[in-house]
Amino acid sequence: MILEGKRILLGVTGGIAIYKVVHLASRLTQGGAQVDVVMTEAATRFVAPMTFQAVTQRAVYVDPWQPIPDGEHARIAHVHLARSADLFIIAPATANTIARLAHGLADDLLSSIALSCAAPWLIAPAMESHMWASPATQANVAILRDRGVTFVGPVAGHLASGAKGVGRMVEPEEIMEAARALLGRNGPLAGRRVVITAGGTREPIDPVRYIGNRSSGKMGVALAQAARDLGADVVLIHGPLQVPVPWGVEARYAETAQAMYEATMAILPETDVLIGAAAVADFRPAEPAADKVKKEEAQELVIRLVRTPDILAEVGRRRRELGRPRVVVGFAAETRDLIAYAQEKLHAKNLDMVVANDISAPDAGFAVDTNRVTILRREREPEPWPLLSKDEVAERVMQEVVVLLRQTEGMDDG
Ligand code: C5P
């Protein structure tokens, strides 16, 4: 996991959304990061430093003159901390702190540290909607954005005053996602475009009904996150999903197999890696009805189905002339003869790798969070992986992709 061993400086300011940031600090710590919390005086009115200390297992800093165990003052110690941080998160960020950061004030420990911190900054604002919308705040946000600072939210919703509006801090999960993306932005896939097809498709019978499948899109979304965390520029071409599109991933909706085919072909010339994780319908109704089919009109209904385009097979064909994508990965979901079918797909569709899963097993396949896969590559024996979460499968698949990409490009250079 990308958070493992990373140093995160978490600046906490005085807003009621702070209770969610305790959870964020805990999640980051559980993910393996070393989290150093610096609070403003106002923040301590909402939550005691002790709370953050307990969840991070580390000292929390508020007062610039607070002596610390090695005898230095916190102000000095934290200059070192700021310099060694991999990421600086400010959450919740009040209008006041955003203003102080935009103008380079150093009137407390947090703002002083900010001036020494060259790591990427991630700000999650939280304030009343009129404060967020004010020209002063918007100008301060623009200054920080121009300097390369990343903002997550705020979003619309219920505010501390009881009113509804834009100003609500995003959920900790979204801050986590953005943090992962920023930590990975110089990773081995930086500057590479990775295109992933995900979810199922819906093939219309009439304007109301469709033929669909049980794909949740979880595997494709996990792959998109893993690719993003390695620095890739990720495009997710997806049908209906049961999970949200992750932060920092460009989503293109394609409801039918034909739409997914067109979206994929359009982006192919700029694609380095293509992963076909979508459960694409193999057949569609030949003539969808223009009006809703009425049951009163017949006792029986026969729908003639015709084949849809095989997206991955076409990608495999075109890559021969285009030289792109450099790497193509497919999935094989089967209920029997898994390895034989997967092996056949590897060659027939001109793929570099197939992730094969036996969807008859209760812990693998559609809509569950785990997967038991076997990896097939050219000129290699099939490699069974243990039962893993879909996130772990995704991370390992992306590590393989990095290796495959190096191999193809190594061959080109030679
Ligand atoms: O041929 P089969 O459907 O078993 O192959 C599965 C793989 O092919 C998956 O990676 C899937 O995303 C892709 N596929 C596709 N277009 C289709 C059917 C499958 O891209 N029409």
Side-chain angles (χ1 to χ4, degrees):
M1 167 82 159
I2 181 92
L3 291 172
E4 200 69 55
K6 294 293 190 322
R7 291 159 167 250
I8 297 176
L9 194 55
L10 178 59
V12 180
T13 79
I16 188 62
I18 198 168
Y19 76 92
K20 296 187 200 169
V21 176
V22 174
H23 183 56
L24 172 69
S26 169
R27 291 279 311 273
L28 292 167
T29 307
Q30 285 168 40
Q34 173 186 303
V35 183
D36 285 295
V37 176
V38 181
M39 300 174 79
T40 60
E41 196 66 49
T44 64
R45 306 279 178 119
F46 290 87
V47 167
M50 184 58 167
T51 307
F52 281 106
Q53 195 171 321
V55 298
T56 62
Q57 304 282 306
R58 299 182 62 80
V60 170
Y61 302 91
V62 183
D63 172 6
W65 307 110
Q66 162 193 359
I68 58 162
D70 66 6
E72 282 181 306
H73 286 300
R75 183 185 284 273
I76 306 301
H78 279 78
V79 168
H80 300 311
L81 250 183
R83 309 280 321 160
S84 62
D86 296 304
L87 178 66
F88 183 29
I89 304 177
I90 302 110
T94 57
N96 182 42
T97 291
I98 289 173
R100 292 188 303 134
L101 296 176
H103 296 283
L105 299 192
D107 54 357
D108 70 355
L109 186 62
L110 176 64
S111 53
S112 311
I113 286 172
L115 290 176
S116 324
C117 188
W121 292 17
L122 175 62
I123 299 186
M127 67 196 73
E128 288 298 314
S129 51
H130 52 271
M131 293 177 83
W132 174 250
S134 83
T137 302
Q138 288 303 309
N140 291 333
V141 169
I143 288 173
L144 292 167
R145 281 211 172 105
D146 276 355
R147 278 185 213 145
V149 173
T150 304
F151 280 80
V152 265
V155 290
H158 177 82
L159 301 170
S161 62
K164 284 202 166 70
V166 178
R168 197 177 153 85
M169 194 183 79
V170 295
E171 293 304 313
E173 281 66 30
E174 194 163 340
I175 302 176
M176 287 278 289
E177 286 282 300
R180 284 171 48 171
L182 286 178
L183 286 168
R185 69 181 179 177
N186 297 320
L189 293 178
R192 304 305 194 134
R193 169 165 289 157
V194 175
V195 176
I196 297 166
T197 68
T201 59
R202 288 180 175 172
E203 306 301 330
I205 296 170
D206 69 14
V208 184
R209 293 118 173 169
Y210 58 81
I211 296 178
N213 61 59
R214 287 161 39 152
S215 169
S216 62
K218 281 183 180 170
M219 195 61 237
V221 163
L223 286 161
Q225 287 169 310
R228 176 203 63 193
D229 292 354
L230 294 174
D233 157 16
V234 184
V235 177
L236 188 70
I237 300 177
H238 67 94
L241 299 175
Q242 284 166 29
V243 283
V245 172
W247 190 90
V249 166
E250 183 187 330
R252 299 191 185 173
Y253 186 64
E255 187 156 287
T256 62
Q258 182 64 31
M260 199 173 267
Y261 173 84
E262 285 165 18
T264 307
M265 294 312 141
I267 202 171
L268 217 52
E270 300 108 57
T271 301
D272 295 298
V273 176
L274 187 122
I275 305 181
V280 187
D282 293 323
F283 295 94
R284 65 170 174 85
E287 287 127 15
D291 292 306
K292 187 181 168 192
V293 176
K294 302 296 289 173
K295 61 177 172 294
E296 294 80 10
E297 284 167 15
Q299 279 309 312
E300 207 179 80
L301 182 64
V302 177
I303 301 172
R304 191 168 65 87
L305 301 175
V306 292
R307 285 289 299 273
T308 55
D310 188 320
I311 303 168
L312 214 49
E314 184 60 22
V315 170
R317 239 187 318 274
R318 291 199 190 181
R319 71 188 291 211
R320 292 187 214 273
E321 301 124 50
L322 282 176
R324 274 165 175 270
R326 304 278 198 192
V327 173
V328 184
V329 178
F331 275 70
E334 302 286 350
T335 51
R336 64 184 169 87
D337 299 328
L338 177 65
I339 303 304
Y341 280 130
Q343 200 86 49
E344 188 192 308
K345 256 167 247 185
L346 182 70
H347 296 283
K349 299 196 190 198
N350 190 26
L351 310 177
D352 302 294
M353 175 168 151
V354 172
V355 182
N357 61 334
D358 178 356
I359 47 172
S360 63
D363 50 11
F366 291 137
V368 293
D369 290 327
T370 52
N371 221 343
R372 190 188 298 279
V373 303
T374 299
I375 301 299
L376 290 97
R377 277 154 304 193
R378 290 165 172 270
E379 289 139 35
R380 298 268 291 270
E381 285 298 307
E383 187 184 317
W385 285 356
L387 182 69
L388 298 168
S389 70
K390 283 186 178 171
D391 289 338
E392 288 166 325
V393 172
E395 279 173 30
R396 289 172 69 153
V397 166
M398 291 317 305
Q399 282 160 12
E400 291 294 326
V401 163
V402 170
V403 173
L404 286 167
L405 201 53
R406 282 204 190 111
Q407 281 171 357
T408 29
E409 294 182 339
M411 282 191 309
D412 286 357
D413 293 347

